[in-house]
Amino acid sequence: MMNDIGLFLQTAIIMGTPMLYATLGEILAERSGSLNLGVEGMMMTGALAGFLVGTTTNSPLLAVLCAGLVGAMGSMIFAVLTVSLKANQLVAGFVLTIFLSGLANLIGSGYGNSTLPKTFTSKISAIHIPGLSEIPLLGPAIFEQSILVYLGILTAVVLWLYMNKTRFGLSLRVVGENPSFADNAGIPVTLYKYVHIGAGGFLAGVGGSCLTLLIVPRWMESITAGMGWISIALVIFALWSPARAVFGAYFFGALRGLVFKLQSAPITISGKAFYIPAQILDLLPYLMTILVLVLITLGKRKENRPPLWLCRPYFREDR
Amino acid sequence: MTFSNFMEIFVKGCPLILTGLGCAVAFRTGFFNIGAEGQFYVGAIVTTMVSLYAPGMPPLLVIILALACGFVCGGLWALIAAILKARFNLSEIIVTIMLNYMVINFLGYALRSFLMDKAANVPQSEKIDVARQIPVLVRASRFHAGILLALVCVAVVWFLMQKTTLGYELKAVGLNRRAAAVNGIPVVRTVIYSAFLSGGLAALAGGIEVLAIQKKLIEGISANCGYTAVLIALIARNKPWAVLVVSLLYAALQVQAGSWQRQSGVPSSIVNIFIGLIVILILAKDIVPYFRRKEGGSNAS
């Protein structure tokens, strides 16, 4: 039993990792005042790019880096449209998702049957930390994970420090709250927006690559299955803070883990076994997303609000 | 282009017109409903159930009843997002997308349990009785009566938006929510009307697709037209007649892409990427004045 729970926690954290990266990235973009709805599309292209580079070069580092760069390239379309051309952010982000997921599905349509080489998966699979991973319950969850999982947590910590303890982080928050004030204070608003939208795209791409390199691990059509959208919801859950994003992402990872678990193991009530249909289980994460959002807004305090200038274009001339 | 191919443009255009109209109505009110995909499926499921299980009635009545039930249920489904937006200020975008995934999963469940055709090995519903299907109007093609209904809907929505008080209020709320409220327009109620109409139109598309084209409920019946509809409404700038034109143009591309795929193996999904690119370019149209302003220096406003 203890062993089961330990394995379940381990799965939860793996499953939550793609969403963790994407959520962290979106937090960066939203803190700069840009609501980028292209996360789903950027994850898709990242997933495909990571897989293709992984199978050809056999190098996890290159695969993840390229996935991130492709995600960042996608986000630059959004940045040009919304920051420089002042297009509607919602429309630009949504169209980006449609465009990028269509592109990824088109390019990836021939790679459905290929798999990653064995030597690649062994490089990226879970690292055993001897001794510590034997600890009951939390051992496997914390001390027996892939490097990508640890990097995700590290990213969260670094971003938290960046946003709360550095001058750049402070400037970033000012840009999101009141860009004209930031401009007056000499902060390069446009540069900040571009950089953080780009970083957001990079992290979304990396998150996508976790799916094809670690979790699934192969390419499938529409592989993200709404994870990008859930990540956008998780940003609200996390109240725009990287620290809370970790809990949100792992919570939804646990939910997905639970779905897998219940599909294979029936629930026994008074000696009779019940299988919950797989499709019903699959819709649970989406339902939970809505419920969690409702709960968050119910307990709303004044400081838990989005950046003031979120989703509004900034016209320097109107200052 | 052969005659049946030409008629196929209308056949493929029909669901796009209706879902596009639905999106256009919602966008006009400032309600960014991307749930047309899910509402389409709600309409398809409800229409199928009514058509299969309605007791003996005149067939025409069953068709009307089935489509009407689909319309209402699709509208109610869209209302969930509208109410959550009004009550909790939740982003309708996230909520409608989540609702889409929920319906698609639910459809998968329904087709493997209570709606499943026991005789078939694949997840699909039983075939709908021939009398209860929407009839084909033009011989040697698939041009069906539902297309006329879609055209009527375009006219009705245009009339509603341009010639009625409700339409005026819908547009006013979309243009400036606060100004509308100050001038005594009940904003929440207006958004709820618009969401209901929007969801209903998308659901009608689903119902027609079942009764006229597939004749049974299957998975993937929408062929992503709910998402395409968003792009169509954006290109059409939310104008009903423009939605009609853009939908038919899109359908023509799709029909042509189908034959390209057969002839030279170009995947027909290229149309979706193409249309996405068009919207990106439309969004980027300001790039020309942007560079002119840069060159012109201070003489620009």
Side-chain angles (χ1 to χ4, degrees), chain B residues 40-166:
Chain B
F40 182 100
Y41 278 115
V42 169
I45 294 172
V46 172
T47 304
T48 311
M49 287 179 70
V50 173
S51 309
L52 285 177
Y53 303 129
M57 270 192 284
L60 183 66
L61 204 65
V62 176
I63 294 176
I64 294 171
L65 184 71
L67 290 178
C69 287
F71 185 97
V72 171
C73 290
L76 292 176
W77 189 251
L79 271 195
I80 297 176
I83 290 168
L84 286 178
K85 165 130 184 163
R87 180 71 186 77
F88 300 105
N89 200 20
L90 288 194
S91 156
E92 70 273 31
I93 298 174
I94 293 175
V95 174
T96 48
I97 294 238
M98 292 301 134
L99 291 174
N100 287 354
Y101 284 110
M102 282 165 66
V103 187
I104 291 169
N105 276 307
F106 178 77
L107 173 76
Y109 166 68
L111 290 181
R112 285 172 181 81
S113 55
F114 60 91
L115 266 178
M116 188 169 178
D117 182 4
K118 301 284 181 294
N121 290 323
V122 284
Q124 63 177 41
S125 77
E126 280 172 47
K127 204 165 178 193
I128 289 159
D129 192 52
V130 179
R132 292 178 174 186
Q133 294 170 5
I134 293 178
V136 169
L137 292 182
V138 180
R139 272 202 306 154
S141 79
R142 296 200 292 173
F143 191 98
H144 54 80
I147 295 166
L148 299 184
L149 187 59
L151 295 178
V152 170
C153 283
V154 174
V156 168
V157 169
W158 171 81
F159 184 81
L160 182 81
M161 297 303 279
Q162 298 300 331
K163 306 285 171 193
T164 65
T165 319
L166 179 63

Side-chain angles (χ1 to χ4, degrees), chain A residues 37 40 77 80-81 84-85 87-88 90-92 94-96 98-99 102-103 106 225-226 229-230 232-233 236 277 279-280 282-283 285-287 289-290 293-294 297-298 300 317, chain B residues 32 34 84 87-91 93-95 97-99 101-103 105-106 108-109 112 227-228 230-231 234 267 269-270 272-273 276-277 279-280 283-287 290 293:
Chain A
L37 295 180
E40 178 89 0
I77 301 178
V80 170
L81 290 177
S84 297
L85 301 176
N88 182 325
L90 301 180
V91 175
F94 180 74
V95 173
L96 188 66
I98 297 258
F99 177 63
L103 202 62
L106 177 71
W229 296 106
I230 293 180
I232 295 172
I236 303 170
Q279 291 81 16
I280 295 292
D282 279 340
L283 70 77
Y286 310 117
L287 184 63
T289 307
I290 298 180
L293 284 183
V294 169
T297 34
L298 279 180
K300 204 172 199 172
E317 295 83 351
Chain B
F32 206 58
I34 355 194
L84 286 178
R87 180 71 186 77
F88 300 105
N89 200 20
L90 288 194
S91 156
I93 298 174
I94 293 175
V95 174
I97 294 238
M98 292 301 134
L99 291 174
Y101 284 110
M102 282 165 66
V103 187
N105 276 307
F106 178 77
Y109 166 68
R112 285 172 181 81
Y227 293 117
T228 311
V230 175
L231 303 183
L234 289 172
S269 61
I270 201 121
N272 256 320
I273 297 169
L277 201 60
V279 180
I280 289 179
L283 285 174
K285 68 182 188 313
D286 291 338
I287 202 153
Y290 179 79
R293 200 158 56 225

Side-chain angles (χ1 to χ4, degrees), chain A:
Chain A
M1 189 64 196
M2 286 287 256
N3 214 356
D4 274 358
I5 296 176
L7 284 178
F8 173 69
L9 288 176
Q10 191 187 19
T11 330
I13 289 180
I14 297 174
M15 295 273 189
T17 299
M19 285 182 273
L20 176 61
Y21 281 113
T23 309
L24 290 173
E26 185 67 7
I27 287 176
L28 279 181
E30 291 196 17
R31 278 285 185 180
S32 78
S34 306
L35 179 57
N36 185 355
L37 295 180
V39 183
E40 178 89 0
M42 298 185 300
M43 282 181 89
M44 287 279 290
T45 45
L48 181 65
F51 182 74
L52 292 183
V53 174
T55 42
T56 43
T57 65
N58 207 8
S59 150
L61 181 68
L62 266 183
V64 173
L65 264 181
C66 287
L69 285 178
V70 168
M73 270 159 59
S75 72
M76 279 303 114
I77 301 178
F78 174 83
V80 170
L81 290 177
T82 59
V83 179
S84 297
L85 301 176
K86 323 283 183 207
N88 182 325
Q89 292 186 3
L90 301 180
V91 175
F94 180 74
V95 173
L96 188 66
T97 284
I98 297 258
F99 177 63
L100 291 182
S101 8
L103 202 62
N105 279 336
L106 177 71
I107 298 172
S109 56
Y111 299 95
N113 294 323
S114 44
T115 46
L116 287 161
K118 275 261 159 49
T119 46
F120 184 92
T121 33
S122 67
K123 272 185 240 173
I124 208 163
S125 61
I127 307 166
H128 272 277
I129 298 174
L132 287 174
S133 59
E134 318 289 302
I135 301 172
L137 217 58
L138 291 177
I142 301 174
F143 299 109
E144 195 187 332
Q145 292 285 14
S146 159
I147 182 85
L148 281 171
V149 172
Y150 295 127
L151 267 180
I153 299 169
L154 185 69
T155 314
V157 174
V158 168
L159 286 187
W160 186 83
L161 288 173
Y162 170 74
M163 272 168 45
N164 294 303
K165 301 288 170 199
T166 68
R167 201 186 155 76
F168 297 115
L170 183 64
S171 306
L172 168 66
R173 283 182 287 150
V174 177
V175 169
E177 294 291 333
N178 191 339
S180 59
F181 183 84
D183 217 350
N184 283 337
I187 300 169
V189 174
T190 309
L191 180 71
Y192 263 79
K193 284 185 177 248
Y194 267 94
V195 167
H196 290 97
I197 291 171
F202 187 90
L203 288 177
V206 172
S209 73
C210 292
L211 285 169
T212 42
L213 299 180
L214 183 66
I215 296 177
V216 178
R218 57 186 187 88
W219 167 257
M220 288 190 318
E221 200 182 318
S222 303
I223 188 168
T224 48
M227 275 192 196
W229 296 106
I230 293 180
S231 302
I232 295 172
L234 277 177
V235 175
I236 303 170
F237 171 82
L239 305 172
W240 295 268
S241 147
R244 288 188 51 139
V246 178
F247 298 108
Y250 291 160
F251 171 71
F252 272 88
L255 201 64
R256 284 198 179 252
L258 194 69
V259 166
F260 269 108
K261 192 102 189 122
L262 287 177
Q263 272 170 3
S264 49
I267 302 169
T268 18
I269 300 167
S270 62
K272 276 186 192 161
F274 291 99
Y275 279 98
I276 307 175
Q279 291 81 16
I280 295 292
L281 285 171
D282 279 340
L283 70 77
L284 282 180
Y286 310 117
L287 184 63
M288 273 309 276
T289 307
I290 298 180
L291 291 181
V292 163
L293 284 183
V294 169
L295 286 178
I296 284 290
T297 34
L298 279 180
K300 204 172 199 172
R301 291 203 305 272
K302 220 178 171 187
E303 57 269 33
N304 298 343
R305 52 158 185 75
L308 256 186
W309 219 266
L310 188 63
C311 227
R312 287 160 72 179
Y314 168 58
F315 294 94
R316 200 171 190 201
E317 295 83 351
D318 293 353
R319 214 160 14 146

